[in-house]
Amino acid sequence: MRHDHLITSKQLSRADIETVLDRAAEIADDPAAAADRHTNALLGLLFFEPSTRTKMSFETAMKRLGGNVVDMGSVESSSVKKGETLADTVRVIEGYADALVLRHPKQGAAAMASEFVDVPLLNAGDGAGHHPTQTMLDLYTIRENAGLDDLTIGIMGDLKYGRTVHSLAYALTNFDTRQHFISPESLQLPREVVYDLHQQDDTQIREHEALESVLSSLDVLYVTRIQRERFPDENEYQKVAGEYQIDLETLEEASDDLTIMHPLPRVDEIAPEIDETEHAAYFEQAHNGVPVRMALLDLLLSGGEADE
Ligand code: NCD
């Protein structure tokens, strides 16, 4: 895989991550200095699944760097409706744009599509697979709030289908972390992910069904939505829907410094009463998507991606 495609967080070293986060911090400090870095650059947006934050923050990021976007629009209004293959679609759009962002319901779609294009391709979510640009903004937010080394993090909710979880868990193995995975048994991390994480020296991982058993030890609690659209059977979703909600009462045992994150959108996992507390970092996390994606695009479009 070419290093300037960003497909999974497994391909990222600590140096890669730090390069992006440091650049994002510079941009966040002085966004105006980046305003004409990529005048005339065009980013191709191919979203085969719904998106608010990811798509709009990529668009904002490209425009804030002086560039613009070309957007395939909805699947309904594109030639995909006529039966065009993903390989053909990306081959056409790479002729219009300097980099591509792809979100697709099929796991592995971004890796496959990247084989067909020469411009950098960024995976913005492939089914229940990975979402590495979300991970970059998650890491940025963790670094700002709790620091990335000697970190105890709880990752809770849909660990089976949650692509943000998979990407984050792999990326955190570059740092000295204790990862606690909290979910119903039916939504545990895929076994191959657990196996891979166990191979990493600096990472300790544990799986739990109850948040209570670990809550007081956590620096960060990363909450996720049950990914309803990925369940083959709605009845299976109904069995777990509404589990693992947190409110002020749940947090009684938590450290005062606990940072609560969520990739959003939330459904009912985090009670709105938490929004006004010092714990809540999820809106800040979403806003960090802009400087972090500006940094990623800047590095990719300048050809200055971090060395492997
Ligand atoms: C996530 C996704 O699409 O995987 N959303 C996002 O990009 N912030 C999380 C989710 O949909 O639950």
Side-chain angles (χ1 to χ4, degrees):
M1 189 189 301
R2 268 182 23 208
H3 196 55
D4 56 356
H5 296 313
L6 180 53
I7 309 299
T8 92
S9 67
K10 292 187 212 179
Q11 74 193 83
L12 298 170
S13 68
R14 183 175 177 132
D16 293 332
I17 293 167
E18 285 175 344
T19 301
V20 176
L21 301 196
D22 290 348
R23 182 79 187 106
E26 275 170 28
I27 291 174
D29 275 351
D30 187 6
D36 55 2
R37 291 274 303 159
H38 297 284
T39 326
N40 296 327
L42 278 177
L43 182 64
L45 302 176
L46 297 96
F47 280 73
F48 291 77
E49 264 193 347
S51 174
T52 305
R53 270 152 294 277
T54 305
K55 187 168 165 180
M56 289 188 71
S57 64
F58 262 118
E59 180 164 356
T60 307
M62 191 69 259
K63 290 181 173 171
R64 292 246 186 252
L65 289 167
N68 214 327
V69 295
V70 280
D71 184 351
M72 182 188 83
S74 73
V75 168
E76 290 302 308
S77 64
S78 75
S79 278
V80 177
K81 263 307 213 204
K82 302 180 189 168
E84 185 168 58
T85 63
L86 177 60
D88 280 0
T89 304
V90 292
R91 267 188 289 203
V92 170
I93 300 182
E94 82 157 331
Y96 308 154
D98 303 295
L100 302 179
V101 178
L102 173 68
R103 169 170 288 186
H104 198 279
K106 286 232 163 58
Q107 194 165 341
M112 186 281 281
S114 73
E115 303 283 329
F116 292 90
V117 294
D118 284 327
V119 300
L121 185 141
L122 299 160
N123 178 12
D126 60 320
H130 275 263
H131 193 351
T133 70
Q134 175 72 40
T135 293
M136 284 294 186
L137 70 97
D138 293 343
L139 295 172
Y140 184 90
T141 309
I142 295 171
R143 190 168 85 164
E144 296 272 294
N145 284 275
L148 275 165
D149 271 313
D150 192 21
L151 172 77
T152 304
I153 185 170
I155 303 182
M156 182 169 88
D158 187 344
L159 312 181
K160 179 178 182 182
Y161 297 117
R163 56 197 175 195
T164 68
V165 171
H166 306 155
S167 282
L168 180 61
Y170 280 101
L172 284 171
T173 63
N174 287 292
F175 303 89
D176 174 15
T177 51
R178 289 164 294 281
Q179 300 193 49
H180 293 282
F181 295 99
I182 305 133
S183 72
E185 202 185 346
S186 63
L187 295 180
Q188 282 180 341
L189 274 181
R191 292 302 91 184
E192 68 270 18
V193 176
V194 174
Y195 177 83
D196 288 348
L197 299 179
H198 273 303
Q199 307 305 306
Q200 307 298 323
D201 290 340
D202 289 336
T203 302
Q204 295 168 32
I205 75 156
R206 295 252 162 75
E207 296 180 276
H208 313 264
E209 284 191 44
L211 174 62
E212 291 69 40
S213 55
V214 286
L215 179 62
S216 61
S217 70
L218 301 180
D219 303 311
V220 173
L221 176 61
Y222 187 97
V223 184
T224 63
R225 174 178 72 86
I226 311 278
Q227 307 278 299
R228 182 177 196 161
E229 67 277 25
R230 311 251 180 259
F231 280 66
D233 177 355
E234 175 69 15
N235 288 330
E236 291 301 312
Y237 169 74
Q238 291 303 341
K239 282 187 201 160
V240 285
E243 287 196 43
Y244 300 92
Q245 296 174 344
I246 58 167
D247 57 20
L248 286 178
E249 203 185 321
T250 324
L251 295 182
E252 267 165 23
E253 297 299 313
S255 142
D256 289 345
D257 296 332
L258 175 71
T259 298
I260 299 179
M261 295 173 58
H262 191 305
L264 302 178
R266 71 175 148 181
V267 181
D268 53 10
E269 308 82 48
I270 301 179
E273 62 191 17
I274 294 179
D275 299 358
E276 302 311 321
T277 70
E278 292 285 313
H279 299 298
Y282 27 93
F283 290 112
E284 168 196 335
Q285 180 185 355
H287 294 156
N288 289 337
V290 173
V292 169
R293 291 187 168 111
M294 284 173 79
L296 273 170
L297 291 172
D298 183 33
L299 291 164
L300 282 176
L301 294 171
S302 313
E305 243 273 278
D307 295 332
E308 272 191 303

